[in-house]
Amino acid sequence: MSSDDASRTPRPFQVDNRVVLSIALPMMLAYMTTPMIGIVNTAVIGRLGDAPLLGGLAAGAVMFDLVFFTFNFLRTGTTGLVAQACGRGDTPEEQAVFWRAFAIACVAGLLLAVGAPLVALAGAYFLAAEPAVTEAMAAYVTIRLLSTPFALTNYAVLGYLLGRGEARFGLALQLVINVANIVLSISLGLWAGWGIAGVAWAAVVAEGLAAATSLLLLVLRFRGLPPLAAGALRNVAALKVMFAINRDIMIRSFVLLGAFALVARQGAQLGTLTLAANAVLLNFFVLAGYFLDGFAAAAEQLAGRAIGARHRAAFVRAVKLAAIWGFAVSTLLTGLFLVRGDLLIAAMTTSPDVRDLAAAYLPWAAFTAVSGVLAFQMDGVFIGATWSRDLRNMMLASFAVFIAALALLVPAFGNAGLWGALHLFLLARGLSLAALLPKRTRAAFAEA
């Protein structure tokens, strides 16, 4: 049998609830520990009693999150390509995909680290805040961006681990980053008296520690494998595929970010009280997202592996089980939000007016878990299958639906119209990709 015939031969593997949960649950825990960093950093700077420092930290964190959101393709794109190589049983290509992603992470990270003063300057211009806030933000961003080579490397590592279905290893990596960051933020920012610089350096050291540890473990693993063929990392065709996938995912991510920026902007135009209430309520969607992202991660790995293995039954079962679990969890979350959401609102704001308005719109926020679940699951399937062009195009089409809904619903129904437009956006994302799924599945397994 030729190597080409071997690559076309199905490689069956088992997909069941245990397999789905073995990926989803660790990643849920990993995603849910991340917000603790922001909470601790805010508490550390808040104890210093300096409002401009707190404002500078918040602004700097938003800027840094924007940079990292832009480069999230290093995680998602790597996951899909590694999962498919895993399905084919192509261990050398799994390794090659990681090293290609690592090279991109190093180059992009170094450019961002060197350009940190320019990023801080742009942030100061955009923020246009009082000098003390701008100075604090610039100090935080300039130091924090030094972590980008390490942070982007950790994205590539996590993408590789998820592509292989090693979610526990991925959880361990996130715990190293988050726990080290929290401990160092308290130690350097508060006990050592470094303030906002200490919080920023804590992130640099934590990301560097995680990157060094994970790279060491992967290098030791790779040393036990056959060496890569000469020129494997410079494979032009493979590099073109990786860059095309990364480009599409980056465009998709920018559009998604733009949609939520518009939600904030429209809320602000409805008044400061509405803006504040919506900011509180969007945390319900964010919280639901931590759970749904776990099942999306399972869909990524299993769908990608099934594509590589040319095993249609495993692909169909992975899509089905991830969706069942996703809908079950989202329904449970919506019920909990409706019954006890007032407690979460009370924990996030002490303003009686904001609490009352948030409570009035609580059902709109609670049901985002249900209206958004299909979008999360389809994103996972299409990322794993590396159907990135569809992800990009359907995101753009859904964004057009969102813009039209904003124009029609907000003038007529105010804040209820804004939440209705958000629900339509989430539904459009999920349904548009689901409509393409049968055709893409038939094409992917046409010869299986």
Side-chain angles (χ1 to χ4, degrees), residues 18 61 116 339 350 429:
R18 182 189 61 80
V339 174
T350 58
R429 285 177 55 204

Side-chain angles (χ1 to χ4, degrees), residues 221-282:
R221 171 187 290 188
F222 294 155
R223 285 182 63 183
L225 301 175
L228 293 176
L233 300 183
R234 300 188 301 275
N235 185 314
V236 175
L239 286 170
K240 284 183 177 179
V241 170
M242 173 172 274
F243 279 114
I245 292 171
N246 291 345
R247 176 202 64 212
D248 292 336
I249 293 176
M250 185 164 62
I251 292 171
R252 167 243 182 214
S253 298
F254 268 126
V255 175
L256 181 60
L257 190 65
F260 281 95
L262 278 177
V263 170
R265 181 178 181 275
Q266 288 291 325
Q269 292 182 343
L270 293 171
T272 302
L273 183 60
T274 300
L275 174 64
N278 285 351
V280 169
L281 291 174
L282 279 172

Side-chain angles (χ1 to χ4, degrees), residues 141-300:
V141 169
T142 303
I143 297 171
R144 182 79 191 271
L145 281 176
L146 296 177
S147 73
T148 49
F150 309 128
L152 298 185
T153 292
N154 290 328
Y155 274 12
V157 171
L158 184 58
Y160 168 81
L161 295 174
L162 285 181
R164 286 184 49 80
E166 299 178 22
R168 291 183 181 179
F169 194 162
L171 171 61
L173 171 64
Q174 294 303 112
L175 288 177
V176 168
I177 296 171
N178 297 340
V179 172
N181 201 331
I182 289 170
V183 171
L184 289 169
S185 289
I186 296 171
S187 301
L188 299 179
L190 197 58
W191 296 344
W194 291 11
I196 198 165
V199 168
W201 278 114
V204 176
V205 175
E207 295 281 3
L209 176 64
T213 302
S214 58
L215 279 174
L216 175 62
L217 293 174
L218 289 186
V219 167
L220 291 175
R221 171 187 290 188
F222 294 155
R223 285 182 63 183
L225 301 175
L228 293 176
L233 300 183
R234 300 188 301 275
N235 185 314
V236 175
L239 286 170
K240 284 183 177 179
V241 170
M242 173 172 274
F243 279 114
I245 292 171
N246 291 345
R247 176 202 64 212
D248 292 336
I249 293 176
M250 185 164 62
I251 292 171
R252 167 243 182 214
S253 298
F254 268 126
V255 175
L256 181 60
L257 190 65
F260 281 95
L262 278 177
V263 170
R265 181 178 181 275
Q266 288 291 325
Q269 292 182 343
L270 293 171
T272 302
L273 183 60
T274 300
L275 174 64
N278 285 351
V280 169
L281 291 174
L282 279 172
N283 284 285
F284 287 85
F285 177 68
V286 172
L287 180 59
Y290 294 138
F291 289 91
L292 299 180
D293 265 335
F295 293 107
E300 286 178 34

Side-chain angles (χ1 to χ4, degrees), residues 10 36 90 101 155 177 197-199 279 293 346 365 367 370 413:
M36 287 301 299
D90 191 351
Y155 274 12
I177 296 171
V199 168
D293 265 335
F367 278 99
V370 174
F413 302 103

Side-chain angles (χ1 to χ4, degrees), residues 34-48 53-54 57-58 61 140 144 178 180-186 189 195-196 198-200 202-203:
T34 300
M36 287 301 299
I37 296 175
I39 294 171
V40 170
N41 288 349
T42 300
V44 167
I45 300 303
R47 288 183 65 84
L48 300 178
L53 281 183
L54 198 57
L57 173 67
Y140 178 82
R144 182 79 191 271
N178 297 340
N181 201 331
I182 289 170
V183 171
L184 289 169
S185 289
I186 296 171
I196 198 165
V199 168

